[in-house]
Amino acid sequence: MKKKLLALAVFAVGASAFAEEKSFTLKLSQPLELYGGVSAGYFFTTNEGSKDSDDAFQLTNALVGLKGEVGDSIKLGFDLAVGQSFQGTIDAPLSGSSAYTDTFGVVWGYLTLKPMEKLSLDAGVLTTNVGYELADTYSNPNITFGEVWWAQPFIYPGARATFDLTDKVSLYAEYNKQFNGDNFALGSLGELGPVSYGITYFDYNDTDSSGTNKNLVDVVLGMNAGSIDLGLNFDYQWLDDSAKSPGQDDSAYGVALYITPNLGQLSVPVRLEYFDSGTSGIYLDNKGYTLTITPTLKPTENTFVRGEVAYISTDNKVFKGGTKDNKTTLAVELGFTF
């Protein structure tokens, strides 16, 4: 549960060291919000490379965040999260995404300026508006990230302007440096009746070998149907002319469906995915599907225990040194959030 740190609050903590009582005082002049979580788990997967281990214990999240806002007609705020978060995907559940945050440091952090009521300007290390799955994996319905997520932008340096058309619909424009490129995005977030949505056009102009010059249209929909949470993430991507090769396909699409029945303290999230990139290389696994089931028990509001069975199948043999066309992962994770 998130905690409010009240303005002008004074905290004193005493400790004993070398038989002498020590204390310190922390003074806060503005309201701040503390949030975060810690989670860890065990992963077993099939069809790893011939020299790779097929299981691992992993600290999946260790995040502490702090956010706040000051001002009246003009407001200034910030959001800072430090720690580490392990991005294990369904096709690489043990290695994580080395381009991101499997080391301790700033995971995201940015300042927000609100020069008027309906306009906000963010600058720093941003979390993307693209996609259904979030950076802190304890907020996701599944332990591993999906294959659709793998081909999306994630966390990057950048600046974003957001304008609220109404109290339920906003527009945004963004410039960012994912993969050191001069990238930009345009989109809208909001609610239409019972459906929440996000629509984004994202243009990559990457300058290093980890990225590709391409374009992405991303659509995310979510709604609640009684005791069932439903989500849909659809992406269509295509290569710039500079990234195409003769005889190579130049487009790809992926769709992920999220179904989460909630039965009191127990939920059973299910993720179904299908992706097809032909020979474009946008999805590394060419064409295939995934199925992930993650039974989750929440003994209290801020604790959880969950297991997971995740399966991916591809048209090409891309696992275990190019000898297998599927992978199954079993995982168990415990977590605490605040």
Side-chain angles (χ1 to χ4, degrees):
M1 179 184 298
K2 295 182 177 178
K3 299 178 180 178
K4 291 288 186 181
L5 304 183
L6 299 179
L8 302 176
V10 178
F11 299 90
V13 178
S16 175
F18 302 105
E20 180 180 355
E21 186 176 289
K22 304 289 184 180
S23 66
F24 68 88
T25 300
L26 173 64
K27 295 183 178 180
L28 300 174
S29 59
Q30 299 294 336
L32 298 177
E33 184 178 331
L34 180 69
Y35 66 92
V38 178
S39 60
Y42 171 76
F43 296 77
F44 171 82
T45 191
T46 63
N47 296 334
E48 281 293 278
S50 58
K51 296 182 180 180
D52 298 329
S53 173
D54 60 3
D55 70 337
F57 288 95
Q58 179 65 47
L59 181 66
T60 48
N61 290 279
L63 291 174
V64 176
L66 198 63
K67 63 172 66 175
E69 185 177 86
V70 296
D72 296 317
S73 58
I74 297 177
K75 297 181 180 181
L76 183 65
F78 76 96
D79 188 346
L80 176 66
V82 298
Q84 73 178 64
S85 184
F86 179 73
Q87 278 79 48
T89 57
I90 193 169
D91 63 354
L94 304 184
S95 61
S97 297
S98 59
Y100 303 123
T101 58
D102 192 25
T103 56
F104 185 87
V106 174
V107 182
W108 65 82
Y110 52 89
L111 291 173
T112 300
L113 174 65
K114 295 183 178 178
M116 60 182 67
E117 182 180 356
K118 294 183 177 295
L119 178 65
S120 62
L121 306 172
D122 301 319
V125 179
L126 307 176
T127 56
T128 188
N129 282 338
V130 173
Y132 184 87
E133 299 179 32
L134 302 175
D136 52 332
T137 59
Y138 52 75
S139 296
N140 289 331
N142 308 108
I143 300 173
T144 56
F145 282 102
E147 193 70 5
V148 172
W149 172 90
W150 180 90
Q152 294 173 340
F154 188 46
I155 297 175
Y156 39 68
R160 179 184 297 145
T162 303
F163 182 76
D164 297 330
L165 285 179
T166 69
D167 59 347
K168 292 187 177 182
V169 175
S170 63
L171 304 176
Y172 75 91
E174 172 184 297
Y175 168 80
N176 69 72
K177 300 288 288 184
Q178 173 142 29
F179 303 127
N180 296 316
D182 293 313
N183 313 314
F184 71 88
L186 300 170
S188 177
L189 305 173
E191 298 178 12
L192 297 175
V195 179
S196 60
Y197 76 89
I199 301 175
T200 300
Y201 167 71
F202 195 103
D203 185 285
Y204 293 83
N205 290 284
D206 301 320
T207 58
D208 68 26
S209 59
S210 57
T212 301
N213 289 346
K214 63 178 182 177
N215 308 273
L216 164 66
V217 172
D218 171 76
V219 178
V220 177
L221 303 174
M223 67 175 295
N224 179 268
S227 61
I228 301 176
D229 297 326
L230 300 173
L232 177 71
N233 190 180
F234 174 79
D235 286 351
Y236 179 75
Q237 306 192 37
W238 66 97
L239 300 175
D240 289 345
D241 289 341
S242 61
K244 297 178 185 178
S245 299
Q248 178 189 28
D249 293 327
D250 60 4
S251 64
Y253 70 91
V255 60
L257 177 64
Y258 303 84
I259 305 170
T260 304
N262 297 292
L263 308 169
Q265 293 178 311
L266 177 67
S267 63
V268 188
V270 177
R271 178 180 61 206
L272 296 164
E273 298 181 289
Y274 181 80
F275 52 93
D276 186 351
S277 61
T279 58
S280 67
I282 293 174
Y283 294 101
L284 285 183
D285 300 325
N286 194 347
K287 179 192 295 186
Y289 67 90
T290 79
L291 171 63
T292 307
I293 303 175
T294 314
T296 301
L297 177 66
K298 297 192 70 172
T300 66
E301 183 180 359
N302 62 335
T303 61
F304 65 84
V305 179
R306 57 186 180 179
E308 182 163 291
V309 179
Y311 177 78
I312 179 171
S313 175
T314 61
D315 277 9
N316 295 335
K317 295 181 178 180
V318 297
F319 303 113
K320 201 172 180 62
T323 63
K324 300 292 183 180
D325 63 2
N326 65 84
K327 178 186 287 287
T328 300
T329 299
L330 306 176
V332 178
E333 184 185 47
L334 291 80
F336 173 85
T337 62
F338 54 91

